[in-house]
Amino acid sequence: MTYCVGLFLNEGLVLLSDTRTNAGVDNISVFAKQHLFQRDGDRSIVAMTAGNLAVSQAVINLVQEGLEHPDTGEIETIYSVHSMFAAASLVGAAVRQVYRSHGPTMKDQGVPFDVSVLLGGQLAGRTMRLFQVYAAGNFINATHDTPFLQVGEHKYGKPILDRAVTPDTPLLDGVKLALISMDSTLRSNLSVGLPLDLTVYPRDSLDLSRTWRITEDDEYFRDLRAGWSEALRAAYRELPAVPYSL
Amino acid sequence: MTYCVGLFLNEGLVLLSDTRTNAGVDNISVFAKQHLFQRDGDRSIVAMTAGNLAVSQAVINLVQEGLEHPDTGEIETIYSVHSMFAAASLVGAAVRQVYRSHGPTMKDQGVPFDVSVLLGGQLAGRTMRLFQVYAAGNFINATHDTPFLQVGEHKYGKPILDRAVTPDTPLLDGVKLALISMDSTLRSNLSVGLPLDLTVYPRDSLDLSRTWRITEDDEYFRDLRAGWSEALRAAYRELPAVPYSL
C-alpha cells in the first residue's frame, strides 16, 4: 500500500508521499513514489504514484521515454508537453499502454491492475494544476472546492484534511496538515511507512528545490506525532460532557 | 454501508451504530442495526450488524428462533446460551447456516456474502465480553490491549479511537469518543447516516435500559460535531510550526 497526498493551495502545492511497498507483510521495501521532472524556468512537475509498483514504474518510465501523440503522431514526453493538462493526458496514455501490454496477463493471474497517480505542477506562463489519474487513464483535477487529492490508503488521513484544508491555508500550515494526515495513516496501516518524501512548490516559482526526506530520526516529525496525539486527547476532554445520565 | 463501534471498558460497554442502509446511493433507508436481547437479572446482550441487510437480518432472526447445537442436538437461542462465548458461537453458526442457504445463489449473482456482527454483553455470574463475528462465522474478542472493535466503514473513525480509548476510559468519555469517531465517518461516507443508536451497558448491571436514539435534532451531538471540527483546527494551529524555510 501507499499513501500520497497533494494540497492545491493558493500559495502553491504541498506534495507528500510515503516510501513503503510491500508484497505481503513479510516483504516490504523502500521505493520512492515521488518523481520530479524539472527544467529550470520552463516546467516543474511532480508525479506521486500508488498501486502496483511494476505498473507505476512502467508509467513513470514511459512518460520520460515518450509516447506517440494519437493525433499528431509526434513523440511526446513529460518534458515536451505544453501544459499540465497535456501532462496528465500523457500519464493517462502511459497507463493505458501499460494496461494493454501487462493487463491481460495480470488479469489471468488474478493480479489487479491497480495504479493511480497524483500529478502536480506548472509550466512557464501557465496555471498551476493538480491532477489525479486513475487506472483507466482518465483523470480529475483539484479545485477550490476540494483543495486536496489523495491516492492509496486515503481514509485514515482524510478527516483532518476535510476539516482544516482550505485554499487559503498557508504553505507551511499545509505541510503540517499533510504530515498530520500521514501520521494517522502510518499509525493505522502497516503497509504505509517512513521515510517520507515532501516537496513544496510555491506557485509561479518553477522551482522544485524545496524537497525533504523525513526519516524516523526527524525530530520535528517525531514531536508533531506525539504532540498531535496529545492534542487530540486534550481536545476530546475539553468538549462538553455527554448529557446522558447513566 | 454501516458503521458500528463497540468500546470494551473497565466500567462497561459503549455500543454505537448508525441506521443507514443503501442499495446504491439512490436507494437509502433507515434500519436499526442494533439488536437488544434482555432478560432481567439473567442476561444483557447487544448485537450490532454490518454488511448485506438480508444476511444480517436472517442471522438475527435465526439466533432468536434457535439453532440445533452440533454436539448436543438441543435447540439453542440467544436467550438459552450459557455464556457470551456460546452466544458468539451461536451467531457464528447462524452466519454459516445463512451462508449455506443463500451463499451459492448470491455468489452466482455476483453479490458478496458480506456480514459482520459486534456482540457485546454479559450473563449473570459471568464476565462481560465483546466479540466480533466474521462472515465465516469465526470470531475474535476485544481485550485490554485493543479495547474497541469496529465493523463496517471503520477507517475514518479509527484514528481518534487509536489515540484516546484505553480500558480506563470512563463510560461517558467513551460515549463522547464513540460519537466523535462516528462524526468522522458520517462526514466522509454518505452511506453512513443518522439517526444513531447508542447503548451503554455498565459492567455487572445486567440492564439494557440505557439506550438513546440520536437524531439530527440532537443538540448535544450537533454541538459536539461543530466543537470537534473547531478543536481539530485549533489543535493543528497550536502545534509547533514546520521548521522548513521555503
Side-chain angles (χ1 to χ4, degrees):
Chain A
M1 205 72 180
T2 289
Y3 178 46
C4 304
V5 55
L7 310 190
F8 182 71
L9 307 174
N10 290 336
E11 292 186 3
L13 300 171
V14 173
L15 304 160
L16 180 67
S17 54
D18 83 313
T19 54
R20 183 159 291 173
T21 65
N22 70 301
V25 289
D26 55 349
N27 183 6
I28 65 172
S29 317
V30 174
F31 277 91
K33 297 159 192 175
Q34 200 169 98
H35 308 271
L36 277 56
F37 309 104
Q38 170 68 11
R39 189 177 280 161
D40 287 349
D42 172 55
R43 69 190 59 214
S44 295
I45 302 176
V46 179
M48 299 193 291
T49 56
N52 182 294
L53 186 64
V55 172
S56 63
Q57 288 191 342
V59 168
I60 295 301
N61 276 289
L62 279 174
V63 298
Q64 293 176 93
E65 288 199 353
L67 286 170
E68 201 171 294
H69 189 283
D71 300 333
T72 65
E74 282 178 23
I75 296 294
E76 273 195 324
T77 77
I78 195 82
Y79 290 105
S80 74
V81 290
H82 294 298
S83 68
M84 283 301 297
F85 181 80
S89 301
L90 179 68
V91 170
V95 167
R96 284 189 296 267
Q97 174 145 331
V98 178
Y99 183 65
R100 281 192 298 273
S101 54
H102 299 178
T105 310
M106 289 171 71
K107 193 173 179 182
D108 266 6
Q109 300 182 358
V111 181
F113 185 84
D114 176 22
V115 66
S116 44
V117 184
L118 290 186
L119 190 77
Q122 191 170 18
L123 272 69
R126 308 294 302 249
T127 55
M128 184 185 82
R129 307 289 293 274
L130 176 65
F131 291 96
Q132 175 172 351
V133 184
Y134 297 105
N138 54 345
F139 50 86
I140 60 170
N141 65 282
T143 66
H144 279 227
D145 289 325
T146 303
F148 64 88
L149 293 172
Q150 307 168 287
V151 293
E153 175 60 277
H154 64 283
K155 293 188 177 184
Y156 297 115
K158 189 160 180 283
I160 180 63
L161 302 177
D162 273 338
R163 289 189 179 88
V165 178
T166 72
D168 298 328
T169 302
L171 274 179
L172 286 179
D173 277 9
V175 171
K176 206 199 273 187
L177 288 166
L179 289 173
I180 291 170
S181 173
M182 179 65 78
D183 169 50
S184 293
T185 315
L186 290 167
R187 199 174 164 116
S188 290
N189 189 328
L190 261 188
S191 71
V192 176
L194 294 169
L196 310 176
D197 287 322
L198 169 69
T199 297
V200 178
Y201 173 76
R203 191 185 285 261
D204 300 330
S205 67
L206 294 179
D207 179 353
L208 285 182
S209 64
R210 295 164 185 85
T211 65
W212 294 268
R213 173 153 282 203
I214 297 166
T215 66
E216 296 201 19
D217 303 326
D218 187 284
E219 206 174 327
Y220 175 72
F221 189 53
R222 229 168 34 209
D223 290 353
L224 185 81
R225 302 186 78 174
W228 181 245
S229 280
E230 191 38 58
L232 283 186
R233 283 191 289 266
Y236 106 78
R237 280 193 218 101
E238 280 160 27
L239 287 174
V242 173
Y244 311 127
S245 65
L246 296 184
Chain B
M1 205 71 181
T2 289
Y3 178 46
C4 305
V5 55
L7 310 189
F8 181 71
L9 307 174
N10 290 335
E11 290 186 6
L13 299 171
V14 173
L15 304 160
L16 180 68
S17 53
D18 84 313
T19 54
R20 183 160 291 173
T21 64
N22 70 302
V25 288
D26 55 349
N27 183 5
I28 64 174
S29 318
V30 173
F31 277 92
K33 299 160 191 174
Q34 201 170 96
H35 308 272
L36 276 57
F37 309 103
Q38 170 69 13
R39 187 177 282 162
D40 288 348
D42 171 56
R43 68 191 59 212
S44 295
I45 302 176
V46 179
M48 299 193 290
T49 56
N52 183 294
L53 185 65
V55 172
S56 62
Q57 288 192 343
V59 168
I60 295 301
N61 277 290
L62 278 174
V63 298
Q64 293 175 94
E65 289 200 353
L67 286 170
E68 201 172 293
H69 190 282
D71 300 333
T72 64
E74 282 178 25
I75 297 294
E76 273 195 324
T77 79
I78 195 79
Y79 290 105
S80 74
V81 290
H82 294 297
S83 67
M84 282 301 297
F85 180 81
S89 302
L90 178 68
V91 170
V95 168
R96 284 190 295 268
Q97 173 144 334
V98 178
Y99 183 64
R100 280 192 299 272
S101 54
H102 299 176
T105 309
M106 290 173 70
K107 191 173 179 180
D108 265 6
Q109 301 183 358
V111 180
F113 186 85
D114 176 22
V115 65
S116 44
V117 184
L118 290 185
L119 189 78
Q122 190 171 20
L123 273 69
R126 307 294 300 250
T127 55
M128 183 185 82
R129 306 289 292 273
L130 176 63
F131 291 96
Q132 175 172 351
V133 184
Y134 297 105
N138 54 345
F139 50 86
I140 61 172
N141 66 282
T143 65
H144 278 227
D145 289 325
T146 302
F148 63 88
L149 293 173
Q150 306 167 287
V151 294
E153 176 58 277
H154 64 284
K155 291 188 177 184
Y156 298 113
K158 188 161 181 283
I160 180 63
L161 301 178
D162 274 337
R163 288 187 178 90
V165 177
T166 72
D168 297 329
T169 301
L171 274 179
L172 285 178
D173 278 8
V175 171
K176 205 199 276 185
L177 287 166
L179 289 172
I180 290 170
S181 174
M182 179 64 78
D183 170 49
S184 293
T185 315
L186 290 168
R187 200 175 163 115
S188 291
N189 190 328
L190 262 188
S191 71
V192 177
L194 294 168
L196 310 177
D197 287 321
L198 169 68
T199 297
V200 179
Y201 174 77
R203 190 185 286 261
D204 299 330
S205 66
L206 294 180
D207 179 354
L208 286 181
S209 63
R210 295 163 187 87
T211 65
W212 294 269
R213 172 153 281 203
I214 297 167
T215 66
E216 298 201 17
D217 303 325
D218 187 286
E219 205 173 329
Y220 174 73
F221 189 53
R222 229 167 37 210
D223 290 352
L224 186 80
R225 300 187 78 175
W228 181 244
S229 281
E230 192 38 57
L232 282 186
R233 285 191 287 266
Y236 106 79
R237 281 194 216 101
E238 280 160 26
L239 287 174
V242 174
Y244 311 127
S245 64
L246 295 184

